[in-house]
Amino acid sequence: MTTKQAPNTLQKMGLDSPMALALHLPSRYEDETELLSIGEALVQGRFKSVQTQGVVIRNQVLFRPRRQMVVTIEDQIETLNLRFLNFYPSQQKQMTVGAHIRVRGEVREGFQGSEMVHPTVRAVTPDAPLPTSLTPVYPASAGVSQAAIRKAVTQALRDPSLKDSLAEFLPSSLMNQLLPSNEWPSLQSAITYLHQPPADADTQALLDRTHPAWRRVQFEELLAQQISLKRAHAIRRERHAPSFNKNDELTASLEEGLVKALPFQLTDAQSRVWDEIGEDLSHSFPMNRLLQGDVGSGKTVIAALAAARVIDHGYQAAIMAPTEILAEQHYLKMKEWFEPLGVQIAWLSGSLKAKEKKLAQELIESGVAQLVVGTHALIQENVHFAKLGLAVIDEQHRFGVRQRLEIQQRVGSELFYCHQLMMSATPIPRTLAMTYYADLDVSVIDELPPGRKPIATKVVKASRREEVVHGLQSWLSKGLQAYWVCPLIEESEALQLQTAVESFEELTKALPEFKVGLVHGRLKADEKAAVMAAFKANEIQLLVATTVIEVGVDVPNAALMVIEHAERFGYAQIHQLRGRVGRGSADSVCILMYAEPLSMAAKERLQTLRETSDGFVIAERDLSLRGPGELLGAKQSGDAMLRFVDLQRDAWLIELAQKAAERLLADHADIVERHLERWLGSRAEFLKA
Ligand code: ADP
Ligand code: MG
């Protein structure tokens, strides 16, 4: 690599200053401080990666069956084969017969005896000195070699400016209150240590990122996050949003009309959260609240009440959902509730024809549409609300990363100032609530509407399918209805459709005395609606469906659900699906059918789902499996905020950082600025979103 190229590629990675390089910390380490003889390597290399050296005595290019290079090296006593399944001419040259090379890798048993496959190779003299510290391995991108990054980092660590950039400015009195002082290395020494750990360093703690040097860096990062979250909190309170009090003077208020028209009474939990949300709406700064409640707990009606209050004040309300199906369910529900009360509702989704879209946009822009329901098409640039007072965002974490940022930018911008209500069936674990969501108020519906029955969940092998179908028959004979959910096939929608059609045909044949229906994502909206209506009216007894029924379907007489290939579904999906049953007076059953072999993860998942239907427990399991990034639906942006922290592993540090942030904000405004600048720089904007 020429020296001209290196700076460019490094710059592309954002490594454009000594400080950026210093904070580009290793993702792992290799121990090259030890050199074994080939004989020792042959033994120890079976358990770990080892380093040895020798002279090349043979270099062959073989075709068996594909082109590969096998190199044999020898020290005074033993020989070792190295196998390269793809290689460059430059490597052939480097490992020419007679060359002395140092190699590093694991030893495996190949067809021709012990060998290293694709070892790291360096041409060195036999007495070339060994490094005295562990060798860092850096996150890299294409076109940048480890050697180039190492060199740049080593140079950066010697740069005199770094002394200032990494200067200690957190008051030691504060730090020592958090942890005994000997447990906090200074920032500068922590960073140096992480780049150049001594040979006797605790490698495991370095790899696990639990070493005190890591802890110091993680703390700094969390501190920056906590400070900016507290700032965002204060900034929101200074912003202006229209204030919506309950309008008691309006004798015929929409809100009251809606309450009267509802076919049920709010549960205590619903009344409580509605009070909390109503209070927020009466403030003159924007609400930022999450309404959390398990599947079927009745969040939609709360959104409708909030919308009604806003519309009563002459403002518009918007309800947005991550998928077309979910959005459509909301649209139908809102029509049912609001149209009799004379409210103008607009529907906007990406799949509308251009003409329909334009019409919807006009209704929104002129203010004729009082309530707007749709997908994220609602926040596209050409949509201008006349007077938006409230944005409801359902299942926010299921929007894509880009979409979420767009929502935040649009809803938070001057153009679009309004109250924001998010809704989710997925509880936020405590660690997330304390970090990414620290500026979010949370209301919880912790009670299901009356009459819901617990769901018995059974886990059954696919080989017992006949038995299941038999059980289905006696179930339907009792006058009850059932769902049959077909597997999710992520790679291919066509394949998913095919298996659904096959199951539909099989079940139609097996259950001739009942009417079987089929619903899937490829059906047109009116076709889908027709099938669902027939199911609701009990004209169809068994509904074969793809995951389109994941949300919003409500048929109390359907109390049995069979899920095929349940091992392919995630926690949240099964939890959502299962929430479709248990809504009527009959005992409800959910059968999770699985095909073998079952991975450990799938086995644990099915077991958990059988044992609990508590959304919170399920979400915690989900989090520990997938990490918060996915739960947030914002893996990339999450990574951009916390590079070195793992919320689960480092949970205990969050509280320390929170305390420190409070004290710094109260007593050391100057330090706060410097700290933010150091850790966030341009990324500070991200945290406000
Ligand atoms: P989710 O919280 O999963 O979005 P929904 O809002 O879709 O749940 O509500 C699930 C079902 O419960 C709907 O049919 C809704 O009309 C009904 N429901 C909501 N609140 C009550 C209540 N207080 N009493 C009886 N049924 C209710
Ligand atoms: Mg819902």
Side-chain angles (χ1 to χ4, degrees), residues 472-676:
L472 195 56
Q473 180 166 32
S474 60
W475 181 273
L476 297 177
S477 305
K478 285 187 223 155
L480 293 164
Q481 292 167 274
Y483 299 96
W484 184 286
V485 182
C486 293
L488 177 80
I489 300 173
E490 260 165 8
E491 315 85 70
S492 158
E493 203 191 330
L495 205 57
Q496 168 157 336
L497 185 56
Q498 187 196 324
T499 58
V501 170
E502 277 166 15
S503 291
F504 168 70
E505 284 168 356
E506 174 208 333
L507 291 163
T508 305
K509 224 188 260 163
L511 303 164
E513 62 271 51
F514 301 106
K515 180 109 174 83
V516 183
L518 174 64
V519 62
H520 54 78
R522 288 276 181 87
L523 290 183
K524 292 207 188 78
D526 51 343
E527 295 169 331
K528 228 182 305 174
V531 179
M532 293 314 298
F535 188 56
K536 211 161 182 161
N538 201 358
E539 287 155 18
I540 288 174
Q541 286 79 45
L542 176 64
L543 184 65
V544 178
T546 54
T547 43
V548 297
I549 59 153
E550 187 177 334
V551 287
V553 181
D554 196 28
V555 181
N557 192 46
L560 173 68
M561 175 176 285
V562 180
I563 303 179
E564 255 189 278
H565 280 293
E567 78 279 1
R568 293 190 194 162
F569 294 80
Y571 272 116
Q573 274 174 326
I574 290 197
H575 186 59
Q576 290 265 355
L577 280 168
R578 189 169 56 177
R580 301 302 119 211
V581 295
R583 295 180 169 223
S585 51
D587 288 337
S588 300
V589 180
C590 177
I591 296 177
L592 304 177
M593 230 168 21
Y594 67 90
E596 287 174 311
L598 211 50
S599 70
M600 281 301 284
K603 197 167 177 176
E604 193 195 313
R605 194 158 60 230
L606 294 178
Q607 201 165 341
T608 302
L609 286 161
R610 185 185 61 202
E611 282 160 11
T612 181
S613 54
D614 183 330
F616 195 81
V617 174
I618 290 170
E620 287 272 320
R621 292 286 167 89
D622 210 12
L623 179 72
S624 71
L625 222 73
R626 301 188 301 165
E630 264 186 70
L631 194 69
L632 285 161
K635 207 161 174 61
Q636 291 98 319
S637 61
D639 284 350
M641 287 183 249
L642 292 177
R643 284 200 280 165
F644 309 121
V645 173
D646 175 310
L647 288 182
Q648 272 168 311
R649 181 194 60 212
D650 309 321
W652 66 285
L653 274 176
I654 301 172
E655 236 161 295
L656 298 192
Q658 212 172 35
K659 260 192 230 157
E662 270 160 29
R663 295 220 202 117
L664 285 178
L665 281 166
D667 303 332
H668 302 279
D670 53 323
I671 296 182
V672 164
E673 285 311 319
R674 291 172 70 193
H675 188 79
L676 281 186

Side-chain angles (χ1 to χ4, degrees), residues 6 17 57 67 73 89 163 214 245 251 256 306 337 365 368 385 405 408 469 503 554-555 585 611 663 678 689:
S17 67
I57 55 164
R67 189 164 173 267
I73 61 169
K163 215 170 149 221
W214 274 119
N245 285 302
T251 38
E256 272 176 29
W337 282 337
E365 194 161 347
V368 170
F385 284 85
L405 277 174
Q408 294 305 341
V469 174
S503 291
D554 196 28
V555 181
S585 51
E611 282 160 11
R663 295 220 202 117
R678 167 145 93 192

Side-chain angles (χ1 to χ4, degrees), residues 299-300 326 330 394:
K299 297 182 286 294
T300 317
L326 183 47
H330 282 319
D394 199 9

Side-chain angles (χ1 to χ4, degrees), residues 293-512:
D294 212 342
V295 184
S297 60
K299 297 182 286 294
T300 317
V301 66
I302 304 298
L305 286 167
R309 178 162 305 172
V310 166
I311 297 169
D312 269 336
H313 283 262
Y315 278 75
Q316 292 169 298
I319 300 180
M320 189 161 55
T323 66
E324 182 112 14
I325 294 159
L326 183 47
E328 196 182 325
Q329 290 286 343
H330 282 319
Y331 176 58
L332 296 176
K333 200 79 190 174
M334 294 305 145
K335 255 171 70 162
E336 181 189 320
W337 282 337
F338 279 117
E339 255 180 9
L341 301 170
V343 174
Q344 292 285 335
I345 309 175
W347 162 250
L348 187 61
S349 86
S351 70
L352 283 185
K353 296 202 188 81
K355 219 168 92 190
E356 301 167 315
K357 219 179 267 179
K358 190 134 183 296
L359 183 65
Q361 284 163 358
E362 279 166 14
L363 292 175
I364 296 168
E365 194 161 347
S366 63
V368 170
Q370 296 162 289
L371 177 59
V372 187
V373 185
T375 59
H376 87 288
L378 287 189
I379 47 151
Q380 244 115 59
E381 246 144 61
N382 43 16
V383 181
H384 303 285
F385 284 85
K387 220 178 165 190
L388 187 68
L390 168 74
V392 179
I393 301 157
D394 199 9
E395 299 296 348
Q396 186 230 20
H397 62 283
R398 289 176 46 189
F399 281 94
V401 178
R402 275 276 271 312
Q403 293 169 354
R404 284 159 39 88
L405 277 174
E406 268 166 27
I407 295 172
Q408 294 305 341
Q409 273 157 11
R410 288 281 277 170
V411 177
S413 71
E414 303 283 339
L415 283 174
F416 209 71
Y417 258 8
C418 68
H419 295 283
Q420 210 185 135
L421 178 65
M422 282 154 282
M423 303 198 292
S424 175
T426 311
I428 300 181
R430 205 174 105 81
T431 47
L432 283 182
M434 288 173 75
T435 51
Y436 294 98
Y437 289 133
D439 183 36
L440 191 64
D441 299 308
V442 180
S443 291
V444 182
I445 307 184
D446 52 6
E447 176 189 357
L448 293 178
R452 297 280 166 81
K453 285 284 176 66
I455 304 160
T457 299
K458 294 180 182 160
V459 178
V460 172
K461 265 189 221 171
S463 55
R464 289 172 59 196
R465 191 184 178 101
E466 254 178 60
E467 259 173 80
V468 171
V469 174
H470 194 74
L472 195 56
Q473 180 166 32
S474 60
W475 181 273
L476 297 177
S477 305
K478 285 187 223 155
L480 293 164
Q481 292 167 274
Y483 299 96
W484 184 286
V485 182
C486 293
L488 177 80
I489 300 173
E490 260 165 8
E491 315 85 70
S492 158
E493 203 191 330
L495 205 57
Q496 168 157 336
L497 185 56
Q498 187 196 324
T499 58
V501 170
E502 277 166 15
S503 291
F504 168 70
E505 284 168 356
E506 174 208 333
L507 291 163
T508 305
K509 224 188 260 163
L511 303 164

